[in-house]
Amino acid sequence: MQQKVKNRWLIAAAAVGIHLSIGSVYAWSVFTKPITSQFGWELSSVQLTFSIAILFLGLSAAFLGHYVEKHGPRKAGILSSIFFGVGITGSGLAISMESLPLLYICYGVLGGIGLGVGYITPVSTLVKWFPDRRGLATGLAIMGFGFASMIAGPIIQALIESVGIANTFFILGIIYFVVMFASAQYLAPPPQGWVPAGYSAQASEGQKQIKKDLCQLTANEAVKTRRFYWLWLMLFINVTCGIAIISVASPMAQEIAGMSVGMAATMVGLNGLFNGAGRIGWASLSDYIGRANTYTAFFAIQIVLFFLLPNLTIQALFMIAMFIIMTCYGGGFSSIPAYIGDLFGTKQLGAIHGYILTAWAAAGLAGPIFAAWVREKTGSYTGTLSVFVAMFVVALVISLIVRLDIKKLKEEAKRKENAVELAS
């Protein structure tokens, strides 16, 4: 009996459902003021909750990546829904008990673990379902993560005003659990050897060129290669500089471009829109221009913009520069899974992606702290931006070095093909 093949676009929809849920973590700032006002806790102490969640996102993605590969996306998705649902609901209990440590454990640790597993599970699955459009597929899911705060922010605000902070967590925890659990039920890898309808025919007729993965490595094999660490460093630099800019976007806009508080807040809101748009836009473009060219473009563009930013006193130009930077920031996240597939294959893509995401955890801690420290030491944001320009130059050089590895791997693959042809 022939196995019924699932609809890959419904797989993509299920992935978006999970990412829209876990991406609400980016709306954490909506909770900070009500929580500090109600309990008198320090703002830095409340903000630490978000940092813990991002830290455990990276750690759980790294340590549970093998779980995703071993047990499949459905079980991994269910595990994510349990951790995230319990974490958010438990945060309501922490608020009811007025316990900051319990909030750290529930939202930060449990929610963060749910975040990490939920982030890599659908992405690694989609890469396998879309061999013809890897960038588009991963961009769709990760776009959901980027746009989530825009959707969740106003809803959280309305709920806090109508039912209070604790009940908001209870309601959201239940909703997120249901959405994620239901979405996980449809997730599954494609059957062995599956390709999209017409894909092979188009390739044989010369209408479409099938790009072969350079190799098929396990996660433990991948971490022994140089290119793994090149990818890690590129993501780390892109995220460090991006998160740092996000964390100080409003005061920087007021200081450099002379924006009012209201206009700076509007710009910050629109940053989320361009962050999300960049995820789908750049990832889709990478299918056509290649992942190596995409990353080189990220860094070349940002070197210019970060260099110009301290002198962009015209508000419209400052905002345009910020929006382009946000697209590069979002695009870095969405293009990395497809790049991993190109360089290491799809054998253990989820586990490799998990290891790479430790760069996000490290950057989430380093970026905002570094930006604040330089601002305190120098008295302006110009020094911070100059350091970021230097970091992007390093990233640009790395993006060019990776090409040498790619060229070498292609030559090796060609030699093997020629040897097989001669032998046959």
Side-chain angles (χ1 to χ4, degrees):
M1 187 177 172
Q2 194 174 7
Q3 182 185 357
K4 188 180 177 184
V5 178
K6 293 192 173 189
N7 185 317
R8 63 178 181 160
W9 292 102
L10 289 179
I11 296 270
V16 172
I18 290 175
H19 271 243
L20 278 173
S21 300
I22 61 175
S24 63
V25 70
Y26 271 153
W28 172 254
S29 60
V30 180
F31 284 111
T32 53
K33 195 172 181 181
I35 291 173
T36 52
S37 299
Q38 185 167 323
F39 302 114
W41 295 336
E42 290 289 326
L43 177 61
S44 57
S45 300
V46 176
Q47 284 284 43
L48 183 60
T49 313
F50 175 77
S51 297
I52 294 170
I54 296 298
L55 173 65
F56 274 86
L57 182 160
L59 293 174
S60 62
F63 287 108
L64 291 171
H66 286 284
Y67 179 91
V68 176
E69 297 298 341
K70 185 178 179 182
H71 297 283
R74 182 176 167 272
K75 285 185 179 178
I78 291 170
L79 182 72
S80 170
S81 69
I82 293 168
F83 269 103
F84 197 69
V86 170
I88 302 299
T89 309
S91 300
L93 183 64
I95 294 296
S96 300
M97 296 172 64
E98 301 185 16
S99 171
L100 190 56
L102 187 59
L103 186 63
Y104 291 158
I105 292 167
C106 291
Y107 196 97
V109 178
L110 299 178
I113 292 170
L115 268 171
V117 182
Y119 191 91
I120 60 173
T121 296
V123 171
S124 62
T125 306
L126 281 176
V127 169
K128 294 166 188 172
W129 277 102
F130 287 83
D132 50 339
R133 300 179 188 175
R134 276 182 180 170
L136 170 68
T138 57
L140 273 171
I142 295 174
M143 174 194 68
F145 195 93
F147 279 139
S149 62
M150 291 178 62
I151 298 166
I155 293 171
I156 291 169
Q157 188 67 48
L159 282 171
I160 290 172
E161 289 171 4
S162 58
V163 298
I165 304 169
N167 287 333
T168 298
F169 278 122
F170 291 139
I171 292 166
L172 290 175
I174 293 165
I175 291 172
Y176 291 147
F177 172 76
V178 170
V179 171
M180 292 172 71
F181 189 86
S183 297
Q185 302 311 305
Y186 198 75
L187 290 180
Q192 192 72 32
W194 175 90
V195 290
Y199 187 54
S200 299
Q202 284 180 319
S204 61
E205 291 168 14
Q207 295 174 16
K208 188 184 285 285
Q209 187 182 357
I210 296 179
K211 291 181 182 177
K212 291 183 180 178
D213 297 327
L214 294 173
C215 54
Q216 289 290 338
L217 301 185
T218 64
N220 291 338
E221 288 169 341
V223 296
K224 293 172 184 172
T225 65
R226 282 191 320 174
R227 60 189 182 278
F228 173 88
Y229 296 97
W230 296 144
L231 287 193
W232 193 97
L233 279 169
M234 286 195 295
L235 185 64
F236 174 76
I237 290 171
N238 201 54
V239 178
T240 297
C241 301
I243 281 185
I245 284 289
I246 289 169
S247 69
V248 296
S250 178
M252 184 183 285
Q254 292 170 54
E255 183 180 298
I256 294 173
M259 286 187 197
S260 65
V261 175
M263 184 175 280
T266 301
M267 184 197 75
V268 170
L270 288 170
N271 277 350
L273 178 66
F274 283 92
N275 180 353
R279 290 167 190 250
I280 183 69
W282 279 109
S284 301
L285 183 64
S286 76
D287 286 332
Y288 297 96
I289 67 171
R291 254 63 74 174
N293 289 334
T294 302
Y295 272 85
T296 300
F298 287 154
F299 304 133
I301 289 167
Q302 289 182 99
I303 285 169
V304 174
L305 292 179
F306 274 74
F307 179 77
L308 293 175
L309 214 52
N311 302 308
L312 293 179
T313 52
I314 299 170
Q315 294 179 0
L317 290 178
F318 185 90
M319 290 175 79
I320 289 168
M322 282 294 294
F323 295 153
I324 296 171
I325 288 167
M326 284 301 101
T327 68
C328 294
Y329 172 74
F333 282 116
S334 58
S335 303
I336 205 80
Y339 209 173
I340 292 167
D342 295 347
L343 295 182
F344 302 107
T346 56
K347 189 189 237 180
Q348 288 194 346
L349 191 142
I352 299 169
H353 190 204
Y355 287 158
I356 292 278
L357 285 182
T358 55
W360 185 5
L365 291 172
I369 293 168
F370 178 75
W373 178 77
V374 175
R375 173 72 177 80
E376 284 172 9
K377 294 291 180 186
T378 63
S380 77
Y381 290 109
T382 307
T384 314
L385 294 169
S386 300
V387 174
F388 289 162
V389 169
M391 289 173 71
F392 279 126
V393 169
V394 172
L396 180 66
V397 171
I398 292 171
S399 77
L400 298 174
I401 291 172
V402 171
R403 293 164 186 266
L404 299 175
D405 274 16
I406 293 171
K407 187 181 177 185
K408 191 178 176 184
L409 284 165
K410 282 180 177 176
E411 287 172 355
E412 282 178 14
K414 200 166 186 181
R415 276 200 298 272
K416 285 179 184 176
E417 275 182 25
N418 292 337
V420 169
E421 283 176 16
L422 284 168
S424 61

